[in-house]
Amino acid sequence: MKSKLTKKKQIFLTVLFLAAVAVWIWRYLTINSFYQEHTTKTIAYYSMGEVVPFGSDFLALHESAEDCYIQVENFEIVDFTEYTQNHKISLDSRQVEIPDKLVLVHITLQNDGIDDQDINLANFALFGIDSNPPMDYDLLCQINPILSGGIWEITLSQNGEYQITLPYMLFKQYYKNSTWNNLDNYTFYLQCTSIPTVKCIRIGN
């Protein structure tokens, strides 16, 4: 009886060991695949004023704009309260937190293709070396009259061109005092595409 229990215990331990090995192999392959995917991704950098083609790269999964271009004309960092008051922007229906400052990125989108092209502005991400300011979607629609009904997507017609302002929120609590007090010298990047090439436009110093 004792030998039977010992044999069952050995079988159980063997199965447990093999299961652990299988899990370890799965985790190794998964992590290795993730690492390879992200370390082999190509990143291309551009400057403000450059006309950047989207080309065959995707803005997001299944979202492309092959015959379209983006150009960052300029940018500005403004106090949120002062900006909204000066432009008489109502905050009555605001659904997101009020930031301390805004990064306003002024861009031009152009379509040289023969077909209309839909571009979701939410795909354009802003980031810095230690920050990732979120887009102010409420303000995006308020300061861009072309975006009606709270829709973040525009349609570029053949040879169409639009000037758009992308607002990103800055919260003082997420920055060191030394950084916050010198935001004019801080470098941001506007990410335009993500797959397979990450195209980023340098904004600021």
Side-chain angles (χ1 to χ4, degrees):
M1 181 71 178
K2 186 176 181 179
S3 61
K4 287 184 178 180
L5 290 175
T6 302
K7 189 174 181 180
K8 287 183 178 180
K9 185 176 181 180
Q10 289 176 339
I11 294 174
F12 173 76
L13 291 175
T14 300
V15 171
L16 191 63
F17 172 76
L18 291 176
V21 170
V23 170
W24 182 88
I25 292 174
W26 175 80
R27 282 179 56 82
Y28 172 81
L29 293 175
T30 301
I31 293 173
N32 189 53
S33 174
F34 176 87
Y35 176 79
Q36 288 183 346
E37 177 184 349
H38 286 76
T39 55
T40 57
K41 186 174 287 188
T42 301
I43 302 178
Y45 292 98
Y46 301 85
S47 301
M48 285 196 304
E50 282 192 75
V51 178
V52 181
F54 293 116
S56 58
D57 298 302
F58 287 86
L59 284 71
L61 191 63
H62 306 308
E63 294 186 38
S64 62
E66 188 167 352
D67 296 314
C68 296
Y69 303 82
I70 181 173
Q71 181 180 25
V72 174
E73 304 287 355
N74 54 63
F75 84 106
E76 54 186 321
I77 297 176
V78 300
D79 179 85
F80 178 87
T81 301
E82 290 182 4
Y83 179 80
T84 52
Q85 288 180 350
N86 291 340
H87 290 79
K88 296 180 173 54
I89 297 173
S90 174
L91 304 179
D92 294 341
S93 59
R94 186 173 178 82
Q95 300 180 18
V96 297
E97 186 179 356
I98 292 178
D100 297 293
K101 292 181 180 291
L102 293 167
V103 181
L104 301 176
V105 182
H106 306 291
I107 66 171
T108 295
L109 294 169
Q110 182 178 352
N111 180 11
D112 284 348
I114 60 174
D115 297 318
D116 292 351
Q117 181 66 60
D118 293 330
I119 295 181
N120 189 339
L121 300 174
N123 290 326
F124 298 131
L126 190 73
F127 67 92
I129 190 171
D130 57 358
S131 65
N132 185 24
M135 183 176 286
D136 190 328
Y137 294 110
D138 283 356
L139 205 58
L140 176 67
C141 297
Q142 289 177 290
I143 63 179
N144 295 289
I146 189 176
L147 301 175
S148 59
I151 303 299
W152 308 331
E153 190 173 81
I154 63 170
T155 298
L156 281 172
S157 57
Q158 180 183 2
N159 296 319
E161 180 178 298
Y162 285 122
Q163 280 74 45
I164 301 289
T165 297
L166 304 176
Y168 297 90
M169 299 185 289
L170 298 177
F171 296 92
K172 185 178 181 179
Q173 67 195 68
Y174 299 133
Y175 294 84
K176 296 179 180 178
N177 287 335
S178 57
T179 301
W180 185 258
N181 295 330
N182 292 279
L183 284 174
D184 289 339
N185 297 316
Y186 190 85
T187 300
F188 290 103
Y189 295 90
L190 183 70
Q191 181 177 327
C192 307
T193 64
S194 58
I195 306 170
T197 301
V198 177
K199 292 179 178 176
C200 301
I201 301 175
R202 181 186 174 110
I203 298 173
N205 296 326

